[in-house]
Amino acid sequence: MQYLLLCCLLPNVFSFAFTIGSDFLSNPPVSFHSQPISSSTSLHQTTIPNNMADSDFVNATENGEIPTFGKSDKAKATDFANYFCSYAQLYHQKQMLADHNRMAAYHAAIMGNADVFKDKVVMDVGTGSGILAAWAAQAGARRVYAIEYTDMAKHARSVMEANNLADIVTVIQGAVEDVELPIKEDGLVTEDEESNENQVVDIIISEWMGYFLLRESMLDSLIRARDKFLKPKTGLMFPSHTNMYLAPIYDEDERQLSNQDYNGAMGEWSQFAETTKSTYGVDMSVLTQAYEREQREYFLLSSRWAELPRNAIMAPPALVKRLDMITCTLEDSKGIMAGDEDACFDFDIDTRNVSAQSISGFAGWFDADFKSRTDEAGAKAPKLSNPSYLTTGPEAGYTHWGQQVFHAMSSIPLINGETTRIQGSLEMTRSKDNARLYNCRIRYVSSRRKSEEGKDGKVLMKGSPVEHVYQIP
């Protein structure tokens, strides 16, 4: 899913497009929380029962989880205003449905494995306009429960009726964390006597992915639905596995444009401060440092959506996180932590293999597999004879997810006949004030050696350590 900001925020409370708290850059909490962009708000936070943040603006629980799981009406209202309301717009649904790479991957996964869906009980988490649920029914599912939190549920019901699927697909409006299935009424059964009475679903399908996979934090809802409803030994998740990648890129025109925008904003401020002082007799220059910080975060330390060409990638991407949708946990969904198995990267950029003269920064994207279970407990689960695959990398062409680009503050020059090595790590953690948004901390050191030297050959130059925190708006 793609996140879209629309003018559907609560009246007199939200007239902004997401605050990415700047405290993180100056006062990072121990667990590395905080985040994204636009006008700032005044936060007053106290603790109330159920560990929910009692604030008009905070969109996270005290434990950094999304507010839909809990009993704070205020937090849920904030979450709806910040996140869900955009998905109630047909314009937004159309944008996703017009993403043909997305559509083709899901269609192939479902219709190409109709034997797996035949006579099964399916749940579609976040059904939107209902197309995945419709495909599941067309593939032969016995019952499909399409869960949708927003009023888009009304449109989904219309789609089912128009396609003569209403007798198979039941659209349920509500948060998946709160819904109950009509187990007795529909004759739903568990796979064995050991299972929880709610574990009656054979397949969960969902298009839950956000920018750089995790942004939006819908994975939390999916995990809770899986643990509550999916048959543990034979159940299937669509997609079944996801991976996150990071690679060095050449994107110098855009990087320089961001710098020009930043410099232009600071030049305008300088003129503003001088005019205010000379015309109105008030010196505003005391605010220059704070204004500079705002502009730096917005123009230079915010990731950018991009549709990069293949040749922008300067080295094979590093796999920085992998998720098995059957076994991943709520802790896994919180991001990439320092010390995680795949959090480090080591790139070699050989000038004999690239035409660019510098490295502009990094790009992140994800892919998703629709294939058979690989966990031990799922040995008896149905096998997919026709696996499907979705990638949002540059090789895919357009997807509405695109890639997230993290431009370097200054480019890294490449020298003919030499190989530049970039060693570092990535952390990606939820914003303190909005659990659906993330910050990325990228640390790296660059060095150069003669291209004929091995990876650990004689170092000709080694730069100082670089560290930046980017917000994913």
Side-chain angles (χ1 to χ4, degrees), residues 248-269:
I249 61 166
Y250 179 77
D251 190 37
E252 200 58 17
D253 287 346
E254 289 299 318
R255 192 193 70 81
Q256 290 186 13
L257 184 60
S258 294
N259 273 275
Q260 290 170 15
D261 289 341
Y262 163 75
N263 290 329
M266 292 311 301
E268 289 175 2
W269 173 266

Side-chain angles (χ1 to χ4, degrees), residues 5 42 173 225 263 358 385:
L5 297 176
S42 172
Q173 185 169 4
N263 290 329
S358 62
S385 55

Side-chain angles (χ1 to χ4, degrees), residues 176-462:
V176 73
E177 292 89 344
D178 299 329
V179 304
E180 298 295 335
L181 298 183
I183 294 174
K184 291 183 180 179
E185 295 88 336
D186 289 353
L188 308 180
V189 296
T190 62
E191 63 187 1
D192 55 38
E193 295 180 356
E194 299 173 2
S195 299
N196 181 290
E197 63 179 0
N198 289 307
Q199 293 176 322
V200 295
V201 172
D202 297 295
I203 301 171
I204 292 179
I205 55 178
S206 181
E207 198 275 78
W208 57 270
M209 300 85 80
Y211 290 151
F212 205 6
L213 187 65
L214 295 180
R215 184 183 177 280
E216 296 184 31
S217 299
M218 188 180 162
L219 179 55
D220 289 39
S221 296
L222 191 68
I223 290 172
R224 293 188 190 280
R226 179 201 68 194
D227 292 347
K228 181 177 180 179
F229 296 113
L230 190 69
K231 294 179 179 178
K233 297 175 184 176
T234 59
L236 298 174
M237 298 290 289
F238 281 58
S240 59
H241 302 77
T242 56
N243 302 294
M244 297 171 66
Y245 300 93
L246 189 77
I249 61 166
Y250 179 77
D251 190 37
E252 200 58 17
D253 287 346
E254 289 299 318
R255 192 193 70 81
Q256 290 186 13
L257 184 60
S258 294
N259 273 275
Q260 290 170 15
D261 289 341
Y262 163 75
N263 290 329
M266 292 311 301
E268 289 175 2
W269 173 266
S270 178
Q271 293 178 39
F272 158 78
E274 178 60 33
T275 299
T276 303
K277 183 177 180 180
S278 62
T279 305
Y280 300 108
V282 177
D283 186 357
M284 303 294 286
S285 62
V286 67
L287 303 179
T288 298
Q289 186 174 354
Y291 184 81
E292 187 278 336
R293 179 172 168 172
E294 285 183 7
Q295 302 311 300
R296 178 180 291 260
E297 289 180 13
Y298 181 82
F299 288 113
L300 306 182
L301 292 175
S302 293
S303 64
R304 306 293 178 188
W305 185 95
E307 185 182 349
L308 295 169
R310 285 172 179 253
N311 61 5
I313 306 303
M314 306 188 72
L319 174 63
V320 293
K321 189 175 183 73
R322 63 189 90 197
L323 291 170
D324 183 331
M325 303 315 303
I326 285 288
T327 61
C328 65
T329 65
L330 287 170
E331 197 61 31
D332 292 329
S333 74
K334 289 184 178 179
I336 301 172
M337 309 302 170
D340 281 1
E341 178 185 359
D342 297 317
C344 294
F345 53 80
D346 189 346
F347 300 117
D348 267 358
I349 298 92
D350 189 337
T351 52
R352 295 174 298 184
N353 300 327
V354 298
S355 58
Q357 297 300 306
S358 62
I359 302 165
S360 305
F362 303 90
W365 64 89
F366 69 89
D367 65 15
D369 279 294
F370 302 78
K371 62 184 182 182
S372 303
R373 283 177 61 162
T374 56
D375 62 303
E376 220 173 283
K380 295 183 179 180
K383 307 300 180 187
L384 273 65
S385 55
N386 295 296
S388 183
Y389 177 71
L390 168 69
T391 180
T392 63
E395 71 277 14
Y398 171 80
T399 69
H400 75 283
W401 290 284
Q403 298 86 48
Q404 287 294 298
V405 169
F406 307 90
H407 286 133
M409 298 293 280
S410 60
S411 61
I412 303 171
L414 299 177
I415 307 299
N416 287 335
E418 296 180 3
T419 293
T420 296
R421 183 178 185 181
I422 303 178
Q423 296 171 276
S425 63
L426 170 72
E427 294 174 59
M428 181 175 171
T429 310
R430 289 177 179 173
S431 161
K432 177 173 62 177
D433 298 325
N434 191 330
R436 294 193 182 277
L437 302 179
Y438 285 77
N439 287 328
C440 284
R441 185 199 299 271
I442 299 178
R443 297 185 177 99
Y444 65 89
V445 173
S446 62
S447 61
R448 292 203 308 266
R449 66 180 188 274
K450 289 292 184 183
S451 292
E452 57 267 21
E453 293 272 1
K455 200 171 187 72
D456 296 313
K458 182 180 178 181
V459 174
L460 302 175
M461 182 284 302
K462 186 172 184 178

Side-chain angles (χ1 to χ4, degrees), residues 127 130 133-134 136-137 142-146 156 160 165-171:
T127 195
R142 178 169 67 89
R143 297 294 304 176
V144 181
Y145 299 99
M160 301 312 149
L165 299 173
D167 57 330
I168 299 173
V169 180
T170 300
V171 179

